[in-house]
Amino acid sequence: MVHAQVHGAAASGHRDRTPRTVGARQLAAMLPDPARARPAYRHLAHAIGELILDGRLALHVRLPAERELATALGTSRTTVTALYDLLRENGYAHSRQGSGTWTALPAGRAAKGVSRLLRPEDTAIDLARAAAALPGQVLADTLAEIAPLAAGHAGTLGYHPYGLPELREAIAARFSARGLATTPEQILVTSGAQHGLSLILALLSRPGDRAMVENPSYPNALEALRRTGLRTVSVPVTDGGGDGGEGGDTGGWDSEIIESTLRRSVPQLAYLIPDFQNPTGGVMPSGERARVLHAAHRSGTWLIVDETLAELALDAPAPAPFAAHGSADAAGKVITTGSMSKTHWAGLRIGWLRAPARLVTELAAQRVATDMGGSVVDQLLALALLNRAEDLLPAHLDRLRAGRTALTEALRTHTPHWSWRTPPGGLSLWVDLGAPVSSALAERALAHGVRIEGGGYFGADPGLFENRLRIPYTLPPETLTEAVQRMARALADDPRPAAPAQRPHWIA
Ligand SMILES: Cc1ncc(COP(=O)(O)O)c(C=O)c1O
């Protein structure tokens, strides 16, 4: 996979005003051979539109001068003039007097916010949220097991703003076992990873600060950044694994782009999901982790590393935690978030963050101002489940593997023109629909009893990833098969795009 090597703030978000350009040779490397299709300019315009929609070519980037692109493509200047005219006509570019042609999105492609909530009575098959159920017997047994412990705690006040000491210890021990030495003082127990992110943003950022994000990324994290008033600067992540040049498979990240973005934009913080990334499923290799950590250290950027999915290794384990890939000094600005939600059960609402002990104290103070602390009973439950993780997790991973197999088989049978790269872990496929139809499909699928949201919700900029659909494999195999059959019927039913409905949206 070749990314646009964007100069200036690479592949950046729309509110970042740093000048950016894409080089003629870099753009040419991402485009089809003009000699192969007639008329070439149409073919090229279509390809550039796809690159923009898929986030591989950033928005608000200056395209090369016509003559330079013509040379790089080995085509005529007239072809490139016609290409740029067509891009402008279709809304994928606009010209600024005296300053060239810039990438843009056609009007009407803006994604909706994700803030409107589902109604509780919604009964459709839920593919909008990637999380699995906990077997009822496991919960019942664990509740029985913790009853005497909970009774013991009843004699205390029950306020633990840092988290229950025994749970902090268990979480620290899990980090250490995964290769990142950690003490309980470095752990703050939160009400889920999303809560941890909110605490971090409230403490470490101010409206107007820059934040580097992956594109695509986890919608609720993007929303939290937006609501904090941060200006996002995005870097592309693909599901292609990347050819990585001499570096081999890059998991979909381009550390050169990340390094140049950190250097030029000097963001206050960056939010990354390096393990089974949501939604692409990619895993950032150790070498890239070390480079990114080093670059963030140089730019003084706080790295918020979301490891919520790190233990969901279906084929091969993820590398050691991100913060283990640099000097203690560099790791001092890494804050790692994690959660029980994807490995055990989201209903616990238990997550954590790992940070330098001094910062944990400040975050705990932030937490007191927010909710005083979490529930003792939920934390005892989480601890008991963590203590049994070596028994419970393999069965959970087996269920996910069965779901992944059922989903891929159903897709091959019922939607043979869709494509995807099977991720080595995590909870979902990032499916390429081959056409920008995902929000229309999501609308129509609801009428067939499937709730799913279009790929656009995962974009750092509005209007991207219309050709993508994130499909979780967290439901039972037969439900997944049924859901795919229904989506195939929704596709076949009505070829007209459905009007976007005013309806609640909620992704997890
Ligand atoms: C990458 C990522 N981070 C965080 C979360 C939210 O986790 P929690 O339920 O612990 O708040 C999710 C859930 O979808 C996720 O995919």
Side-chain angles (χ1 to χ4, degrees):
M1 171 58 55
V2 184
H3 297 301
Q5 175 57 57
V6 178
H7 307 294
S12 142
H14 60 300
R15 279 173 293 185
D16 174 30
R17 295 285 167 221
T18 320
R20 296 170 296 270
T21 60
V22 55
R25 271 188 300 154
Q26 273 107 19
L27 183 57
M30 293 192 284
L31 293 176
D33 179 354
R36 289 254 175 107
R38 305 249 162 252
Y41 73 97
R42 266 191 195 285
H43 208 54
L44 293 167
H46 178 74
I48 290 181
E50 297 269 287
L51 288 174
I52 292 172
L53 286 178
D54 212 18
R56 281 174 289 167
L57 184 56
L59 286 178
H60 314 289
V61 158
R62 189 169 60 205
L63 292 168
E66 290 179 5
R67 193 183 304 277
E68 284 170 24
L69 186 58
T71 309
L73 284 168
T75 188
S76 69
R77 170 96 186 259
T78 331
T79 299
V80 178
T81 306
L83 159 66
Y84 281 11
D85 282 347
L86 187 56
L87 284 176
R88 277 188 288 269
E89 200 180 308
N90 292 344
Y92 285 105
H94 65 92
S95 293
R96 292 185 201 158
Q97 199 70 44
S99 82
T101 304
W102 295 69
T103 57
L105 266 182
R109 281 214 178 268
K112 304 157 285 269
V114 286
S115 52
R116 287 166 289 152
L117 295 181
L118 289 177
R119 287 177 296 273
E121 69 273 16
D122 199 298
T123 56
I125 298 178
D126 187 352
L127 295 182
R129 285 158 307 156
L134 174 70
Q137 196 56 48
V138 172
L139 183 60
D141 291 348
T142 317
L143 278 168
E145 181 190 326
I146 65 155
L149 296 172
H153 275 273
T156 72
L157 292 186
Y159 281 125
H160 297 278
Y162 289 88
L164 216 55
E166 49 273 47
L167 180 56
R168 294 175 80 198
E169 246 172 65
I171 294 166
R174 281 192 87 76
F175 271 109
S176 301
R178 286 174 54 223
L180 179 63
T182 301
T183 63
E185 293 68 38
Q186 290 174 275
I187 301 295
L188 181 76
V189 180
T190 60
S191 301
Q194 185 71 18
H195 178 219
L197 176 61
S198 306
L199 291 173
I200 296 163
L201 294 179
L203 187 71
L204 295 180
S205 68
R206 296 284 165 270
D209 282 350
R210 280 187 199 173
M212 188 183 83
V213 296
E214 294 157 339
N215 197 15
S217 183
Y218 173 53
N220 295 329
L222 294 173
E223 184 74 5
L225 298 173
R226 285 185 203 115
R227 284 174 181 250
T228 310
L230 301 185
R231 295 183 296 151
T232 53
V233 184
S234 66
V235 292
V237 181
T238 69
D239 61 355
D243 61 18
E246 288 168 13
D249 188 340
T250 64
W253 285 262
D254 186 322
S255 41
E256 252 175 60
I257 289 185
I258 296 176
E259 282 167 341
S260 77
T261 302
L262 288 169
R263 193 172 57 245
R264 289 169 187 273
S265 294
V266 195
Q268 163 72 359
L269 52 89
Y271 171 77
L272 301 173
I273 314 169
D275 307 285
F276 312 116
Q277 204 255 8
N278 187 358
T280 64
V283 177
M284 193 190 284
S286 290
E288 319 295 312
R289 291 176 193 230
R291 284 180 69 172
V292 172
L293 191 48
H294 189 58
H297 182 50
R298 273 193 313 234
S299 61
T301 299
W302 286 99
L303 277 182
I304 306 171
V305 179
D306 185 335
E307 292 187 356
T308 298
L309 302 155
E311 294 193 59
L312 298 175
L314 302 184
D315 299 332
F322 200 96
H325 290 80
S327 64
D329 210 18
K333 283 200 103 171
V334 178
I335 307 175
T336 307
T337 58
S339 176
M340 299 290 286
S341 290
K342 309 296 165 166
T343 45
H344 294 80
W345 190 39
L348 290 169
R349 302 312 305 136
I350 296 288
W352 51 83
L353 57 84
R354 178 197 184 276
R358 178 186 39 79
L359 191 66
V360 167
T361 306
E362 289 183 54
L363 287 162
Q366 180 74 37
R367 203 243 162 103
V368 168
T370 312
D371 70 351
M372 306 288 281
S375 148
V376 169
V377 178
D378 296 343
Q379 292 181 76
L380 286 173
L381 207 45
L383 177 61
L385 288 170
L386 274 188
N387 286 340
R388 289 179 60 199
E390 269 40 78
D391 288 338
L392 297 175
L393 207 48
H396 180 51
L397 298 184
D398 278 345
R399 285 191 294 273
L400 290 174
R401 284 188 197 99
R404 188 178 62 170
T405 303
L407 178 60
T408 51
E409 278 171 8
L411 291 173
R412 266 186 221 112
T413 309
H414 300 290
T415 55
H417 55 291
W418 290 1
S419 58
W420 61 89
R421 172 177 173 266
T422 302
L427 300 171
S428 51
L429 304 182
W430 184 229
V431 174
D432 187 342
L433 308 179
V437 296
S438 86
S439 45
L441 173 62
E443 295 301 335
R444 293 214 298 270
L446 195 55
H448 287 259
V450 175
R451 175 174 290 281
I452 192 159
E453 300 296 356
Y457 284 100
F458 297 82
D461 296 300
L464 307 176
F465 306 115
E466 255 300 300
N467 56 338
R468 295 282 183 160
L469 205 54
R470 186 199 66 168
I471 314 184
Y473 39 78
T474 44
L475 294 173
E478 55 288 359
T479 314
L480 289 168
T481 307
E482 173 67 28
V484 173
Q485 284 167 351
R486 290 185 190 187
M487 284 198 289
R489 282 203 291 275
L491 266 181
D493 229 25
D494 181 359
R496 286 167 301 154
Q502 280 302 313
R503 63 178 179 85
H505 298 271
W506 181 25
I507 294 173

